[in-house]
Amino acid sequence: MSALTVSPEDVKRVKALGFLNNKGTDNFSGRVLTVNGKITAEQHKCIAEAAELFGNGNITFTTRLSVEVQGIPYEKIDDFRNYVAKAGLQTGGTGAKVRPVVSCKGTTCQYGLLDSFAISEEIHKRFFEGYSDVALPHKFKIAVGGCPNNCLKPDLNDVGIIGQLVPAHDLEKCKGCKKCKIEKACPMHACKVVDKKITRDENICNHCGRCVGKCPFDVVDGKVRGFKIYVGGRWGKKISVGKPLSKIFTDLEEALNVIEKTILLFKDQGIKGERFEETINRIGFENVEKQLLSDDLLNRKEEIIKKELLTK
């Protein structure tokens, strides 16, 4: 059951502002945007006050790390928005465009291989805010994971970044120990001592970096930090695990450019109503990867943004 007295047109209008109808009522849940799940204590207080003043006092959290205040009467929506704006907060996060970015706590987590908050804040600024007026064929989700533990499941987003620490083994230093600390430390069982030398199966290794620093003879003394980028993931009624690009990106700016090229590709070649995963399946992953590793899409950025969406 939809709203009781609020017109479908008004329900649609406020949904674009981040307010979703509470089933069978004229009340709405307002989605307050965070910067990838992070807000200040003062902003917490402001949201709590707004929930008591304009809602039913209940606060929940979305999977995109937005704060959702329930039970806001339709006629109180503007008052609610103005109240949270005092703390620098906005509502939104809906529609066929770049959705709020999500990030794990890799910045503080002991396993984090990258500054996930700093990276996701830059993504938030460039692509959530920077592309806020760009209509896409469908919603577009981005996630940043600090390591291959995959807690946030970046590979189930349209674009996902996962931190990487690629080890390098100096076999000259390897003593072929019977109880190899590198082999013991590897959670993927990719590292094994064979013929008294450590080996690493690159097809199994997920670049978690757990082996780095474990050998007393400094066998793992070289390493490359970088980013693995997945494209075409989704969850919901249909689930698809994203496919990784073949390159490990070691330059953050290059990785961010790939994200932008992915958005531009979806805008340029996606069909209205289809998810990015469907676009990839339709035009081919190899074709998509080739475009993402070239600069043509960025060179055509202004043209693509102004382009009308393709329709079936």
Side-chain angles (χ1 to χ4, degrees), residues 63 186 219 249 285:
T63 57
C186 180
V219 169
F249 298 87
F285 177 77

Side-chain angles (χ1 to χ4, degrees), residues 9-20 28 74 77:
E9 294 76 18
D10 281 332
V11 169
K12 183 178 180 180
R13 178 183 67 82
V14 297
K15 183 178 180 180
L17 299 174
F19 292 83
L20 284 74
F28 292 76
Y74 174 78
I77 285 177

